[in-house]
Amino acid sequence: MATTDDAGTATRTLIFALVALACGHMLSTLLRTIPAVSLDLMAADFHIEPQALASLTSIYPFAFAAAQIPVGAAMDRFGVRPVSLSLLAGTVFGAVASGFATGPSSFAVGQFMLGVATSGMLMCPMTLAAKQLSAGRFGLWSGAILSVGNIGMLLSSSPLAFVVDAYGWRTGFWMSALGGIAVALAVFALVPNQPAEHKDESSPLAQMIEVLRLGLSRPLRGLIALALVSLAAPLVLRGLWGGPWLMQVKDLSRVEAGNQLGAFTLAMIIGPLLIGMVDRRLGRRRDLVAASHMIGALLLALMALGAPHYAVSLLFGISVMPPQYDLVLFVLIGLATSAQPLLFGMSRQLVDAQVAGKALAAMNLAFFLGAALMQSVTGAVAALAGLPAVLLFMAAMLAFGVLIFLAYTSRSP
């Protein structure tokens, strides 16, 4: 009986720890998506064009991606709790710096700080779960962690739009700083101070090289290729171009655009859990991953073609598809592009527990390096060819990633 009680206590402790750490990821997604509903105001404040500021905000995901390797190595070397608390402290400072920015240069510094500091917010709960759960349970919990994290994007939709309209865009960063303090206190109280379960005594440089080696290895190559675009497409749409698309192309107000982005985010919260359940029922993970991403590419293309005088609008004999059309597509895109937990699960099955942190870091590096590249490139695409071209570009990259994934992965379980 005592053994059962001990097991129950350990399970509750792990759940509370995972939820506290997932709140850090929620804060990260909130900070990453603030420009989606405030890009025009920020650009006016800094006296630059919105497209130029959009490219400048890519500093965040580039710093985020670059920090994956050292943070992943630190996770295996020092454990989750000290790394998480250090990153949360940096997040608070980065949010304050962004909120007090007076121009593009100081804003870029704040974004760089935030990119580095939030780089491990998803890896912390993922690493803890990967080291203490079986591969099957990890797949379920990885979806739950992503769903909790995506609540941050829900906060940066209508609620943030209201705050920005009422108090200005800087308030979003200052409120995020307060949130960072609250999450740090929760992590301090709820995450056990355990040494790294598979502590690696090799040098930090050797550990970083191992992260890159794992990412480029033949078994992970197809997964990495899809990861480069899997998260990038929905994240760049939700975090940067969704708001301008709805406000500039569809003439919605900031709050109306926030409502649609909120529905998109709800789909991104529900999506990982739904896809996880479908995966458990079907047992055909490779096919499910490929099909869901290809559907996402098709939906992005349909959204682009609903712009004024594009194919879908002309097909229906109207000048532009109504905002309700975009609302439906946003929800469907959010559901279709929520298969990231399956990629984490596939990578987890291919490595030993002692290098789980490095393998997850390699996947995370691909996810957010892809987001950084797509965010910077789409800024140039928008300046040259407009917002519909941005959506078509993202659709093409998503489809290309699926083709490479299929070429490099086996049909066997």
Side-chain angles (χ1 to χ4, degrees):
M1 186 70 177
T3 302
T4 303
D5 290 341
D6 290 344
T9 301
T11 300
R12 285 193 297 272
T13 300
L14 177 60
I15 290 173
F16 285 134
L18 289 175
V19 170
L21 292 168
C23 286
H25 179 44
M26 178 173 66
L27 180 65
S28 171
T29 60
L30 167 62
L31 284 162
R32 189 184 302 117
T33 52
I34 286 177
V37 293
S38 55
L39 188 69
D40 55 334
L41 297 178
M42 294 163 68
D45 217 2
F46 297 152
H47 305 293
I48 62 174
E49 291 296 319
Q51 291 87 348
L53 182 59
S55 295
L56 184 66
T57 61
S58 65
I59 291 173
Y60 185 124
F62 270 118
F64 193 109
Q68 295 300 311
I69 296 176
V71 169
M75 210 87 69
D76 283 333
R77 190 176 184 87
F78 302 111
V80 170
R81 188 174 186 261
V83 172
S84 176
L85 289 172
S86 300
L87 295 175
L88 284 164
T91 300
V92 172
F93 283 112
V96 171
S98 296
F100 280 106
T102 57
S105 298
S106 54
F107 183 71
V109 171
Q111 290 291 285
F112 177 82
M113 292 173 63
L114 284 174
V116 172
T118 60
S119 61
M121 295 304 185
L122 177 58
M123 263 198 299
C124 285
M126 287 291 190
T127 300
L128 185 64
K131 289 180 180 293
Q132 299 196 21
L133 298 173
S134 65
R137 292 183 67 198
F138 172 74
L140 178 66
W141 269 100
S142 62
I145 289 166
L146 281 171
S147 293
V148 171
N150 285 341
I151 294 174
M153 288 189 280
L154 188 63
L155 296 175
S156 68
S157 56
S158 300
L160 180 64
F162 173 80
V163 169
V164 169
D165 270 343
Y167 305 106
W169 64 267
R170 298 177 189 274
T171 308
F173 286 106
W174 296 331
M175 293 175 65
S176 298
L178 294 175
I181 295 172
V183 174
L185 292 174
V187 168
F188 184 82
L190 297 174
V191 178
N193 189 17
Q194 299 172 338
E197 186 178 343
H198 302 285
K199 190 169 182 179
D200 188 346
E201 298 295 345
S202 60
S203 70
L205 178 60
Q207 294 179 49
M208 293 179 195
I209 292 172
E210 177 68 6
V211 171
L212 290 176
R213 188 196 67 78
L214 278 170
L216 295 174
S217 64
R218 180 64 172 80
L220 292 185
R221 206 169 294 163
L223 277 65
I224 293 294
L226 183 55
L228 284 168
V229 293
S230 172
L231 187 61
L235 201 62
V236 172
L237 179 62
R238 172 59 187 87
L240 186 62
W241 297 116
W245 173 264
L246 292 170
M247 288 187 283
Q248 296 174 19
V249 178
K250 298 304 174 83
D251 294 324
L252 296 186
S253 69
R254 193 179 311 279
V255 173
E256 288 172 337
N259 290 337
Q260 288 217 15
L261 295 178
F264 182 22
T265 307
L266 282 174
M268 294 175 70
I269 292 170
I270 297 169
L273 297 175
L274 290 179
I275 286 185
M277 289 188 286
V278 172
D279 173 57
R280 289 170 70 90
R281 182 173 293 274
L282 291 181
R284 300 178 62 179
R285 182 168 292 179
R286 174 181 179 270
D287 295 338
L288 179 58
V289 167
S292 61
H293 283 90
M294 192 61 81
I295 291 170
L298 175 62
L299 294 169
L300 276 167
L302 288 174
M303 181 177 284
L305 297 176
H309 311 301
Y310 274 66
V312 174
S313 300
L314 295 175
L315 181 65
F316 282 90
I318 55 180
S319 61
V320 61
M321 293 300 289
Q324 292 82 357
Y325 172 79
D326 299 273
L327 176 60
V328 172
L329 288 177
F330 270 126
V331 171
L332 293 176
I333 291 168
L335 294 174
T337 58
S338 294
Q340 288 83 32
L342 302 186
L343 290 174
F344 276 121
M346 291 175 77
S347 67
R348 173 64 183 88
Q349 290 176 314
L350 295 172
V351 300
D352 296 327
Q354 61 265 29
V355 293
K358 297 184 185 71
L360 293 175
M363 291 299 296
N364 243 16
L365 173 61
F367 280 132
F368 293 103
L369 177 60
L373 291 170
M374 190 170 286
Q375 189 162 324
S376 59
V377 172
T378 53
V381 172
L384 290 173
L387 293 179
V390 168
L391 300 185
L392 290 172
F393 174 80
M394 291 196 292
M397 290 298 100
L398 201 55
F400 185 57
V402 172
L403 295 178
I404 298 178
F405 170 79
L406 290 173
Y408 273 96
T409 53
S410 169
R411 290 186 179 277
S412 60

